């Protein structure tokens, strides 16, 4: 049984939140800090190697109580249970949503265990040089051909975990723009490169076009039989993969209960597994699973994904904010924001509710951002003095991987300085000109993690996955379909036919 479909605006909590908002909207957070000396610790949450501080938000303990009431009335607890127990909560596609099962080693389905061991064997052969190209040379380069969820997640994780990488060179081809594939092919040698064609459906125009171009390029210097040593596929569509000419032992499975944007934990992450080795890949999965348990079992008052999801709703629906920024103070997380953009916006960019009615409140915020400190010199002016209120996540790792202490101290001091400047502004200070005034009162979450490891990265990504789900339940939308991408694809097919004729 799926969980009840509640319009959030019809709940008692929503009405109370509306009144509460009217009373709180002009209050400066600085006053909330002066009234309560333990505000920082009251609104900080420790979990594993994470410390999440939400004290710099325009909230009081009453705000949280009302948001918990809203979660109760919209049946969040029941929704979490339904998702984890495999109910087909993706109703418009009649599918369960079980990416969490890809990282649960205790209850893992046999086909997942089998796929993981297939990944282990394959990646070990590639890394050790046992797997040879068709001319007998070991593999030096791995190229992932995929787009959307079959590209963004693996690419992001491979870059984020560069510190843990081996000698292999990794490349990602996604865009149908021929310059993308051709520039990548300039860098690789067909004799020592393996191509991973990753597509859940194996019908995606960009991926198939790129895969065919690569295949033609490969066959300029090799025979058809050599394909078995250089082409591998990850897909649910075995028939289409076989038609493409990929040997059956080179096919890795996917399942319809894993959404593309939640699939980096499956064989879709094969490129990452080759780059960092199976042991590290498994650690990524275990870190995500630890967060799954936290999300499933922790009371909402201490539940980090729940708290962050509720705060988004508070800002989007009461303060009417339209965007949220994410600023990781780690260059390794340079690709986190593009990955989150698909995860959040493809999931929650919906205008029809779970009862089929058009929605009259805001859903799916625009997600944007980039790494600190670079972002400080790009768009922080707007965060500090612009007319828009932009709730922002600040993420940092306290320990630096390269032990560059001076750099790390400067990075951390900027991290803390920015959240304080956004909080306090110049309130209480005499400024000689209005242009130098900072209003402050701009909300931030601080996500402070001990160290960037495969495990902690897994936890961080799972945290955001669950935040998406929390928002979706509160907004009463289906977070796991993506019909909004179809119309453009259909028109593009028609345009292509016309262009080809001309
Ligand atoms: O893995 P596939 O089937 O090639 O799909 C790629 C991407 O395309 C989308 O369907 C959007 O067009 C995404 O949801 C998905 O991640």
């Amino acid at each position: 049984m799926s969980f009840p479909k509640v319009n959030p605006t019809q709940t008692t909590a929503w009405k109370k939140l509306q009144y509460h908002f009217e009373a709180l909207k002009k209050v400066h957070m600085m006053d909330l800090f002066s009234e309560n000396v333990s505000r920082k610790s009251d609104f900080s949450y420790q979990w594993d190697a994470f410390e999440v501080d939400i004290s710099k938000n325009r909230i009081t303990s009453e705000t949280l109580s009302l948001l918990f009431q809203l979660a109760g009335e919209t049946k969040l607890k029941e929704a979490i249970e339904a998702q984890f127990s495999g109910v087909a909560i993706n109703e418009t596609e009649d599918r369960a949503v079980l990416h969490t099962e890809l990282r649960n080693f205790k209850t893992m389905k046999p086909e997942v265990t089998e796929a993981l061991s297939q990944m282990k064997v394959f990646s070990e052969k590639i890394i050790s040089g046992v797997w040879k190209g068709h001319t007998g040379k070991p593999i030096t380069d791995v190229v992932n051909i995929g787009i959307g969820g079959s590209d963004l997640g693996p690419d992001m994780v491979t870059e984020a975990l560069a510190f843990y990488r081996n000698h292999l060179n990794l490349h990602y081809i996604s865009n149908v723009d021929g310059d993308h594939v051709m520039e990548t092919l300039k860098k690789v040698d067909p004799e020592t490169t393996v191509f991973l064609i990753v597509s859940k459906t194996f019908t995606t125009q960009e991926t198939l076009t790129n895969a065919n171009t690569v295949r033609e390029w490969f066959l300029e210097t090799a025979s058809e039989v050599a394909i078995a040593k250089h082409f591998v596929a990850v897909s649910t569509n075995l028939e289409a993969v076989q038609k493409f000419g990929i040997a059956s032992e080179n096919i890795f499975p996917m399942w319809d209960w894993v959404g593309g944007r939640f699939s980096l934990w499956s064989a879709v992450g094969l490129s990452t597994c080759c780059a960092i080795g199976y042991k590290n890949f498994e650690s990524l999965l275990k870190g995500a699973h630890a967060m799954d348990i936290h999300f499933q079992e922790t009371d909402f008052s201490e539940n980090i994904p729940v708290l962050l999801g509720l705060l988004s709703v508070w800002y989007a629906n009461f303060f009417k904010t339209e965007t949220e920024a994410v600023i990781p103070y780690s260059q390794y997380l340079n690709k986190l924001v593009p990955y989150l953009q698909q995860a959040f916006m493809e999931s929650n960019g919906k205008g029809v509710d779970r009862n089929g009615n058009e929605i009259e409140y805001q859903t799916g915020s625009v997600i944007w951002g980039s790494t600190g400190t670079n972002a400080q010199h790009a768009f922080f002016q707007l965060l500090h003095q612009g007319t828009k209120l932009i709730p922002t996540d600040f993420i940092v790792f306290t320990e630096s991987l390269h032990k560059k202490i001076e750099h790390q101290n400067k990075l951390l001091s900027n991290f803390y300085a920015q959240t304080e400047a956004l909080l306090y502004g110049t309130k209480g200070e005499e400024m000689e000109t209005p242009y130098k005034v900072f209003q402050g009162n701009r909300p931030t979450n601080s996500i402070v993690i001990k160290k960037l490891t495969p495990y902690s990265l897994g936890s961080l990504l799972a945290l955001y996955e669950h935040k998406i789900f929390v928002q979706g339940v509160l907004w009463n939308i289906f977070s796991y379909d993506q019909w909004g991408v179809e119309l453009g694809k259909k028109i593009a097919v028609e345009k292509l036919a016309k262009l080809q004729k001309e």
Side-chain angles (χ1 to χ4, degrees), residues 146-151 198-207 234 254 259-263 268 342 346 482 485-486 489:
I147 197 164
S150 298
D151 165 73
V198 184
S199 176
K200 182 176 166 183
T201 55
F202 225 79
T203 58
T204 304
Q205 185 196 53
E206 291 89 337
T207 303
V234 182
M254 255 196 101
R261 54 193 176 274
F262 301 95
S263 65
V268 168
Q342 186 201 14
E346 200 167 86
Q482 55 285 318
V485 300
E486 295 304 326
K489 284 187 197 171

Side-chain angles (χ1 to χ4, degrees), residues 54-198:
I54 62 165
S55 65
K56 298 188 187 81
N57 277 289
R58 309 229 337 225
I59 56 168
T60 62
S61 48
E62 192 191 344
T63 322
L64 287 187
S65 313
L66 292 173
L67 289 168
F68 296 142
Q69 190 185 329
L70 182 63
E73 287 186 68
T74 51
K75 306 293 171 201
L76 180 59
K77 189 105 212 116
E78 291 80 346
I80 296 172
E81 267 162 37
Q83 172 168 316
F84 278 87
S85 60
V87 173
I89 60 167
N90 175 1
E91 287 183 25
T92 66
E93 294 179 324
D94 193 22
R95 288 176 184 167
V97 178
L98 283 172
H99 49 275
T100 49
E101 280 302 302
L102 299 169
R103 51 214 194 199
N104 185 349
F105 286 87
K106 278 197 207 110
T107 63
M108 196 167 266
K109 296 170 193 281
E111 62 264 39
V112 178
T113 315
E114 205 179 301
L116 279 176
S117 64
Q118 196 188 348
M119 288 171 75
K120 181 170 189 281
V121 171
F122 176 79
S123 59
E124 281 169 1
K125 279 190 192 160
I126 296 282
I127 297 164
S128 63
V130 167
W131 184 294
K132 301 271 192 295
H134 71 105
T135 56
K137 294 182 185 166
I139 300 302
T140 55
D141 293 68
V142 176
V143 180
N144 188 89
I145 307 173
I147 197 164
S150 298
D151 165 73
L152 290 163
D155 189 10
M156 177 270 295
V157 176
T158 299
E159 182 164 317
L161 298 177
F163 186 76
Y164 302 89
R165 275 177 57 175
N166 51 42
H167 62 284
L168 292 171
N169 302 310
L170 267 288
H171 312 265
Y172 290 83
I173 302 174
S174 53
N175 201 326
V176 78
D177 178 353
D179 296 340
H180 196 186
V181 56
M182 294 320 291
E183 282 303 323
T184 310
L185 293 180
K186 266 171 39 183
K187 295 181 206 145
V188 299
D189 177 347
E191 292 180 43
T192 60
T193 302
V194 158
F195 297 93
L196 314 178
I197 309 170
V198 184

Side-chain angles (χ1 to χ4, degrees), residues 468-479:
I468 292 168
F469 181 57
V470 171
Q471 293 175 333
V473 173
L474 273 274
W475 285 325
N476 193 27
I477 53 177
F478 289 118
S479 295

